[in-house]
Amino acid sequence: MSEHRQILLVSGPNLDLLGEREPAIYGSETLADHVARAAKEAERHDLALRHVQSNHEGELIEAIHDARGWAVAIIINAGAFTHTSWALHDALAAFDPPVVELHLSNPAAREPFRHTSVIAPVADGVIAGFGGLGYSLAVEAVARLLEASS
Ligand code: DQA
């Protein structure tokens, strides 16, 4: 059996509350629903997915450091850390393979504090505003980036 190359999907603070949290903005699907969708798309591309969610910045940073040893790409929805965490920025800068920034909503169309992403400068691209569909689009983007670099 061939070992599938693995993507790390990183979910930041408050995303564990998806399904209950502000459904008018984030929809009624849970994080588990989104992860399942991403995993299914990964399988379609002969890739596998590992997922980590944490409300703690340091745990997310440790997960990114760990991924340096095995992940072929990172997809990250950093939640509100997107707008504040230079520490996550630096951790991602130390990760060479592709990075895709992901959001359910479109932060650029929301409050001004969401208009800045400190993740975007260290990402290959950003997928935002497509709700749960973004999870499969992000995996597809990774697959295309990996294909283009092989
Ligand atoms: C979010 C957008 C962020 O601004 C917000 O803080 C989140 C979720 C999104 O997926 O739309 O927690 O990352």
Side-chain angles (χ1 to χ4, degrees):
M1 204 182 80
S2 70
E3 281 273 309
H4 284 323
R5 293 170 300 160
Q6 300 191 85
I7 302 169
L8 176 64
L9 171 62
V10 179
S11 299
N14 303 308
L15 297 180
D16 52 331
L17 297 183
L18 288 174
E20 295 169 32
R21 172 192 182 210
E22 300 182 89
I25 296 171
Y26 299 118
S28 56
E29 287 179 295
T30 64
L31 184 58
D33 294 331
H34 297 311
V35 174
R37 184 174 198 155
K40 202 166 154 200
E41 183 69 17
E43 212 175 292
R44 226 169 62 76
H45 293 282
D46 276 331
L47 295 163
L49 192 87
R50 279 203 224 172
H51 176 238
V52 61
Q53 190 278 328
S54 177
N55 297 320
H56 304 277
E57 191 177 17
E59 281 181 14
L60 298 171
I61 290 165
E62 300 285 3
I64 293 166
H65 289 184
D66 184 65
R68 286 158 47 90
W70 56 267
V72 293
I74 287 178
I75 297 170
I76 179 163
N77 183 346
F81 287 151
T82 303
H83 317 298
T84 60
S85 179
W86 289 105
L88 274 180
H89 166 109
D90 284 355
L92 290 167
F95 178 84
D96 278 342
V99 173
V100 174
E101 177 181 346
L102 172 64
H103 301 284
L104 289 155
S105 67
N106 178 4
R110 298 181 61 196
E111 306 96 311
F113 79 88
R114 297 186 203 275
H115 296 181
T116 298
S117 167
V118 298
I119 305 298
V122 286
D124 290 81
V126 182
I127 292 173
F130 297 106
L133 172 63
Y135 283 77
S136 37
L137 295 177
V139 172
E140 162 127 35
V142 162
R144 299 281 180 106
L145 288 171
L146 292 175
E147 231 172 75
S149 68
S150 69

